[in-house]
Amino acid sequence: MLTLIFIFLTFGLSTFFSASEASLLRLNRYEIQSEKESKSRNILLDLINRIDEVLIVILLGNTFGNILIASMLSVYLSENNFSAEILWLAPLILTLFLLIFAEVLPKTSATLEPKRVARI
């Protein structure tokens, strides 16, 4: 049970990194600069000004999370004596699940509301 909870928490982390990437790339620097000075505005401007470094961290975090999910799922399935057919299908199902729910959906929603997501 703890393994499943850890898988879902890591999945949330992967989703966070995907949404962060899309929202930061979609932000309009000049629109953020024109806002009233605030702590979140200054943080966003700092992230935008260092976008290459930020993207490296985001991609590393996302890759680490996805590998961790796959590893933990393999451990869970093997510990719970799932059949060999399920063990062969698991990477395919996980890949589709990650692409849809941890990549496409977060990035799509983040590009619709980039400022709101970037502030998170």
Side-chain angles (χ1 to χ4, degrees):
M1 184 64 177
L2 187 61
T3 305
L4 282 178
I5 292 170
F6 190 68
I7 288 171
F8 283 109
L9 288 175
T10 309
F11 180 78
L13 183 70
S14 181
T15 302
F16 168 77
F17 281 123
S18 293
S20 299
E21 176 188 3
S23 65
L24 287 172
L25 290 174
R26 182 91 164 121
L27 284 177
N28 183 334
R29 173 191 316 259
Y30 303 108
E31 188 177 324
I32 301 296
Q33 284 175 338
S34 68
E35 290 180 0
K36 188 176 94 173
E37 179 124 2
S38 69
K39 186 176 181 180
S40 66
R41 171 195 172 263
N42 293 338
I43 290 171
L44 283 178
L45 286 174
D46 187 43
L47 291 174
I48 292 170
N49 289 333
R50 302 168 56 190
I51 195 68
D52 51 341
E53 296 168 13
V54 172
L55 284 176
I56 289 169
V57 171
I58 287 173
L59 292 174
L60 285 174
N62 201 357
T63 302
F64 176 75
N66 291 344
I67 291 170
L68 196 57
I69 291 169
S71 300
M72 294 302 295
L73 183 62
S74 297
V75 167
Y76 176 78
L77 292 175
S78 62
E79 283 179 349
N80 290 293
N81 299 322
F82 280 83
S83 68
E85 291 82 21
I86 296 296
L87 292 175
W88 280 102
L89 282 175
L92 176 64
I93 294 168
L94 182 62
T95 300
L96 291 173
F97 193 76
L98 283 172
L99 282 174
I100 294 168
F101 295 107
E103 292 292 332
V104 175
L105 286 178
K107 286 181 180 179
T108 302
S109 59
T111 55
L112 296 174
E113 292 287 334
K115 274 203 285 190
R116 187 173 63 88
V117 174
R119 289 185 195 285
I120 294 171

